[in-house]
Amino acid sequence: MKSVYDCKITFEKFDPLRYADNSIVTDALLSELYGINGDNVYILPRGERAKSLDNVACLCHWFADRQLSPQERVVAVGGGSVGDTVGFACSIYKRGIDLLHVPTTLLAMADSAVGGKTGVDCDGVKNLLGTYWFADALVDFRFLDTLDDIQMQSGMGEVLKYRLLNERVQCLYEQNAPLEKLIEECILFKTSLCREDPFCQNKRNSLNCGHTVGHAMELALGIPHGVAVANGIYYEVLLANKLGYCTNKYADFWREEVKKQFCVYPLTQEMLRLTLQDKKNSDGLVGFSLPPDFFSVKLPFDAVLDILL
Ligand SMILES: NC(=O)c1ccc[n+]([C@@H]2O[C@H](COP(=O)([O-])OP(=O)(O)OC[C@H]3O[C@@H](n4cnc5c(N)ncnc54)[C@H](O)[C@@H]3O)[C@@H](O)[C@H]2O)c1
Ligand SMILES: [Zn+2]
């Protein structure tokens, strides 16, 4: 298994022809837009629908049909959904096969292609099944040229998370730095956190901020992941403020930042009930990573309802 320290991130142009000898996995839209096709290409469904155990099984059968050995490299060209699914399949096929992520969405470039988390959804729970599988990444910013506004906005939701977590990212954002620079800084910060805590036992948990409420809203409303994370940040900052963890000024600032860029959806009890399935929960309590320190906090569900509704 490759360790987090062995992973290389390069910023260069992706040419599918250079990978003609590799097994490439992508989705239907990317295959069409970028002419990624041929015998060595496997096409997954678009978006979150890719993230199923059935698709992982089909991919593993395809790897077996192609008689891939663990030394060979699979190339995942796509957003977080492709990356999470292919990463999962690569981590279990013959106990692990080498993988290169080629992220094609803003969200995948700034966040999901780095850090080794894989996962598929199961029984209505996001990422219920998953593994750690560390992989190299090749970032080609030209993919952003074809991304629609909704997906760009979703990516900005995870970028907002990095602004909240890291002063350098926030500084660049305030200086109107080019998006490429912002992405590079998110990657740098995530890489450093993952090196300190590869398996999410302490510091890396901060990356889950906004995700407890966010995942619940994503499932209930079917909104893109990053938009849900931004909404999650909006509500979790309020939670932190009401619990006395952060000042009114801090809470007001970040809630305004969310409102400037995203539609804020109202919360319902039914939606919040989905937080009861969160992977960070234990002892009947709901787990959060709350600002400003992003420590892990466990709260009774009723207390969450009282504060947020
Ligand atoms: N593993 C991790 O660390 C991690 C981190 C954050 C999010 N995620 C996961 O990532 C998933 C979301 O990924 P996403 O936001 O990248 O979206 P996505 O992979 O679901 O893709 C969204 C849509 O964008 C299209 N698309 C992708 N690249 C394109 C391009 N260059 N041009 C035009 N269209 C393009 C796809 O075909 C798809 O229809 C969620 O399941 C989330 O849980 C994982
Ligand atoms: Zn996320």
Side-chain angles (χ1 to χ4, degrees):
M1 178 183 182
K2 201 177 222 143
S3 92
V4 66
Y5 291 100
D6 303 324
C7 295
K8 285 189 209 64
I9 295 153
T10 50
F11 296 87
E12 55 185 288
K13 289 185 177 156
F14 174 71
D15 175 5
L17 293 178
R18 226 182 103 193
Y19 295 90
D21 293 335
N22 293 92
S23 300
I24 302 181
V25 187
T26 189
D27 74 21
L29 179 66
L30 289 158
S31 164
E32 197 183 311
L33 284 176
Y34 292 95
I36 308 170
N37 39 48
D39 290 347
N40 65 326
V41 178
Y42 186 97
I43 312 278
L44 283 168
R46 287 173 60 185
E48 196 71 22
R49 277 186 312 129
K51 292 182 55 168
S52 74
L53 214 42
D54 282 349
N55 285 328
V56 170
C58 291
L59 258 181
C60 289
H61 287 304
W62 186 67
F63 293 164
D65 280 349
R66 291 178 59 76
Q67 300 183 334
L68 294 192
S69 73
Q71 288 72 38
E72 283 172 89
R73 175 170 260 210
V74 173
V75 181
V77 185
S81 299
V82 170
D84 281 7
T85 312
V86 183
F88 190 94
C90 286
S91 71
I92 57 173
Y93 174 78
K94 294 193 177 173
R95 298 211 173 82
I97 182 167
D98 193 38
L99 167 66
L100 171 71
H101 283 294
V102 181
T104 62
T105 61
L106 171 56
L107 182 142
M109 290 179 194
D111 191 2
S112 67
V114 174
K117 278 193 183 178
T118 84
V120 293
D121 308 336
C122 185
D123 290 345
V125 183
K126 252 191 88 80
N127 302 327
L128 182 68
L129 310 173
T131 54
Y132 285 94
W133 194 244
F134 296 101
D136 294 340
L138 183 162
V139 182
D140 180 348
F141 296 118
R142 293 176 309 165
F143 279 110
L144 297 178
D145 295 345
T146 54
L147 204 60
D148 66 27
D149 291 349
I150 295 172
Q151 295 305 328
M152 281 302 275
Q153 202 199 26
S154 178
M156 288 312 287
E158 293 283 14
V159 171
L160 176 83
K161 175 184 82 180
Y162 286 105
R163 289 170 51 204
L164 182 68
L165 289 169
N166 183 262
E167 268 179 18
R168 229 185 108 71
V169 178
Q170 174 60 3
C171 239
L172 285 172
Y173 181 84
E174 282 175 347
Q175 292 161 3
N176 280 321
L179 188 56
E180 290 82 355
K181 188 78 204 116
L182 216 51
I183 294 171
E184 281 182 44
E185 206 56 44
C186 294
I187 294 176
L188 266 181
F189 175 66
K190 183 167 184 183
T191 308
S192 71
L193 263 188
C194 294
R195 287 189 171 171
E196 265 184 79
D197 177 23
F199 300 109
C200 218
Q201 281 156 331
N202 48 69
K203 276 199 165 173
R204 191 175 167 176
N205 273 317
S206 60
L207 296 173
N208 288 325
C209 72
H211 280 65
T212 305
V213 174
H215 276 158
M217 296 182 81
E218 183 178 355
L219 264 178
L221 298 168
I223 52 179
H225 179 76
V227 175
V229 169
N231 271 263
I233 288 171
Y234 181 87
Y235 289 111
E236 291 184 17
V237 165
L238 175 67
L239 197 57
N241 179 239
K242 297 285 181 202
L243 291 166
Y245 298 161
C246 65
T247 61
N248 292 346
K249 192 174 164 208
Y250 178 98
D252 291 346
F253 175 80
W254 285 107
R255 282 160 60 86
E256 271 312 307
E257 288 301 294
V258 175
K259 281 204 285 187
K260 274 185 204 164
Q261 271 184 300
F262 300 90
C263 166
V264 175
Y265 297 90
L267 270 180
T268 65
Q269 182 159 347
E270 210 175 308
M271 234 179 246
L272 278 175
R273 202 159 283 286
L274 295 170
T275 61
L276 292 168
Q277 304 172 338
D278 197 277
K279 291 193 296 301
K280 300 181 289 301
N281 298 357
S282 61
D283 305 323
L285 301 171
V286 185
F288 293 88
S289 166
L290 291 185
D293 297 322
F294 304 99
F295 295 135
S296 292
V297 178
K298 302 265 190 310
L299 299 169
F301 181 60
D302 286 346
V304 178
L305 285 185
D306 278 352
I307 295 175
L308 291 183
L309 290 185

